[in-house]
């Protein structure tokens, strides 16, 4: 656990409403992260010690700014001001969450919406009055794009880069991020969050912000602030993640999409060469699904429990990218938000209680993060053998995944060093002996084994 630039937060100043000194920061390192979708600040703060214990290095929160009101989860994606008062908690709760996570050695990455505001008129969660293109004291009509390229100024054609970046994403008022005053105000928001201790940002809808504009927004943020721009890869489109690599790691949607048929349709051979055509490993965030794809069918269906579990097992066995796990809630309707109280405050997530999945606590996630610790930097070699997916990590570890419906015992060539190994995913406690260039393993149907040195 590396706690960088440790400066104590002055809670006295915080209480007095004065600008606080820079809080301590925790670096985003090689440890996987967890997206705690629609988790409240108090719930995240309470969970951070467990998150650290499982082996995660960072949490990614939902957007913290004031938004429109309503029961849908996606109200979070319609900002109406940069006050940190939302259905997920207050400014004081947000600051307390960061301190709790930092004390546990966990970095905090926040979902930042800088492309747009809301779609309509109304009163926000904290009482801010807003109109489609007028945010009193914040924005006027001149601060927004009015692209004039489509009948309703909405994005219609993703093959047209001007539409994608200057028209409206699902009718959300698109900020004119070429304007210096707009960039300054957005940077001020991000700086406020960094001052509270935020370690990094997911840049929501980064694809819809020109590279120059995004640079103009984030230039001058405190050194060490990590940025994860969200640029969804789209076939043949003019705007691709490769254009945004200067900002930081990016969510590699191509990886998540490629995993879907492998585990849902039992096509382990497709894992061989899975990294081709994707961002280089050190520029990527790898994931099985996020809050959008678990709703749009592009990635492994979370309701196919075994397939989803095996996909996460592969994600964590592989050496590609910085892996992230999604921990959210069960839903039946796409728009359905998490449970709320009468004031529209989201209920604190509780593991073991519906509808929260607490996917970050699952046995296979714990075991596979332990596996990563045991194999370290040993490079992954991916192969397919008799319908099993095999991930070898040099002479230190091996994961075999069986997406099929029958148990399998196979003898396969291995790079494992001669020694006794045990299965981190199994509970049999039996050891596997490697004496020569092959190893014999039994992999249960819809199951996996993760071998590491028994004496390690
Ligand atoms: C994102 N990344 O680029 C977020 O990950 C994604 O969750 C956001 O969409 C989107 N971009 C805007 O930040 C979400 C929902 C949308 C929702 C939108 C705004 O997926 O469904 O749109 O947030 O709240 C909703 C309605 C639309 C409507 C719009 C405006 O679904 O039909 O046009 O609100 O009223
Ligand atoms: Ca835009």
């Amino acid at each position: 656990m590396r706690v960088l630039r440790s400066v104590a937060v002055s809670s006295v100043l915080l209480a007095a409403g004065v600008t606080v000194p820079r809080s301590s920061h925790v670096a985003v390192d090689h440890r996987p992260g967890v997206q705690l979708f629609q988790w409240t600040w108090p719930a995240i703060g309470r969970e951070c010690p467990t998150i650290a214990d499982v082996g995660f290095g960072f949490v990614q929160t939902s957007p913290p700014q004031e938004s429109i009101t309503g029961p849908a989860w996606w109200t979070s994606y319609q900002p109406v001001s940069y006050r940190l008062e939302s259905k997920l908690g207050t400014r004081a709760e947000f600051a307390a969450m960061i301190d709790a996570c930092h004390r546990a050695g966990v970095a905090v990455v926040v979902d930042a919406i800088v492309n747009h505001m809301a779609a309509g008129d109304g009163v926000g969660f904290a009482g801010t009055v807003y109109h489609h293109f007028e945010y009193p004291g914040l924005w006027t009509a001149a601060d927004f794009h009015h692209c004039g390229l489509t009948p309703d100024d909405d994005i219609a054609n993703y093959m047209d880069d001007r539409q994608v970046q200057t028209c409206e994403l699902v009718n959300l008022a698109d900020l004119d991020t070429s304007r210096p005053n707009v960039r300054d105000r957005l940077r001020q928001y991000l700086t406020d969050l960094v001052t509270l201790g935020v370690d990094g940002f997911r840049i929501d809808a980064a694809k819809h912000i020109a590279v120059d504009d995004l640079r103009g927004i984030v230039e001058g943020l405190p050194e060490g602030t990590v940025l994860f721009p969200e640029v969804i890869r789209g076939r043949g489109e003019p705007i691709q993640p490769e254009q945004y690599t200067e900002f930081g790691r990016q969510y590699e949607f191509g990886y998540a999409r490629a995993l879907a048929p492998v585990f849902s349709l039992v096509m382990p051979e497709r894992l061989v060469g899975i990294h081709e055509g994707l961002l280089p490993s050190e520029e990527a965030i790898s994931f099985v699904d996020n809050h959008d794809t678990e709703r749009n069918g592009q990635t492994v269906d979370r309701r196919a429990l075994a397939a989803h579990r095996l996909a996460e097992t592969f994600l964590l066995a592989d050496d590609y990218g910085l892996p992230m796990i999604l921990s959210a809630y069960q839903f039946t309707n796409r728009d359905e938000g998490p449970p709320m109280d009468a004031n529209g405050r989201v209920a604190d997530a509780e593991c073991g209680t519906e509808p929260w999945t607490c996917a970050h606590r699952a046995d296979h996630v714990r075991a596979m993060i332990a596996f990563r610790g045991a194999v370290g930097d040993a490079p992954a070699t991916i192969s397919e053998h008799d319908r099993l997916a095999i991930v070898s990590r040099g002479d230190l570890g091996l994961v075999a995944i069986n997406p099929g419906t029958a148990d399998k015992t196979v003898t396969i060539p291995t790079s494992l060093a001669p020694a006794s190994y045990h299965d981190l995913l199994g509970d049999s406690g039996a050891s596997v002996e490697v004496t020569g260039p092959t190893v014999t393993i039994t992999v249960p149907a819809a199951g996996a084994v993760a071998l590491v040195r028994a004496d390690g």
Side-chain angles (χ1 to χ4, degrees), residues 114-116 145 155 162-169 172-177 205-210 213:
V114 292
N115 176 64
H116 56 260
H145 282 136
I155 300 167
R162 281 179 60 224
Q163 279 193 33
V164 172
Q165 298 189 324
T166 66
C167 294
E168 293 174 3
L169 172 63
L172 301 166
D174 201 67
L175 287 163
D176 183 349
T177 43
K207 180 190 213 164
H208 302 278
I209 306 169
D213 293 2

Side-chain angles (χ1 to χ4, degrees), residues 73-74 77-78 116 119 170 172 202 204-205 230 291-292 334:
W73 60 269
W74 44 251
Y77 289 92
Q78 298 199 39
H116 56 260
V170 294
L172 301 166
R202 167 188 187 260
D204 180 72
E230 185 225 18
H291 69 283
D292 289 323
R334 179 215 184 258

Side-chain angles (χ1 to χ4, degrees), residues 331-405:
F331 59 89
T332 46
N333 166 316
R334 179 215 184 258
D335 296 332
E336 194 178 319
M340 291 180 159
D341 69 15
N343 303 317
R345 266 283 303 236
V346 170
D348 292 346
E350 264 184 77
C351 289
T353 305
E354 298 245 312
W356 305 100
T357 66
C358 289
H360 59 283
R361 288 190 181 194
D363 288 346
H364 68 282
V365 171
R366 285 182 190 266
M368 289 308 300
I369 295 181
F371 176 86
R372 296 176 75 80
V375 302
D377 294 335
T381 309
I382 301 168
S383 59
E384 183 258 339
H385 191 98
D386 193 19
R387 316 303 294 154
L388 301 180
I390 313 288
V391 184
S392 298
R393 299 293 300 264
D395 58 1
L396 294 176
L398 178 148
V399 174
I401 303 175
N402 182 0
T405 51

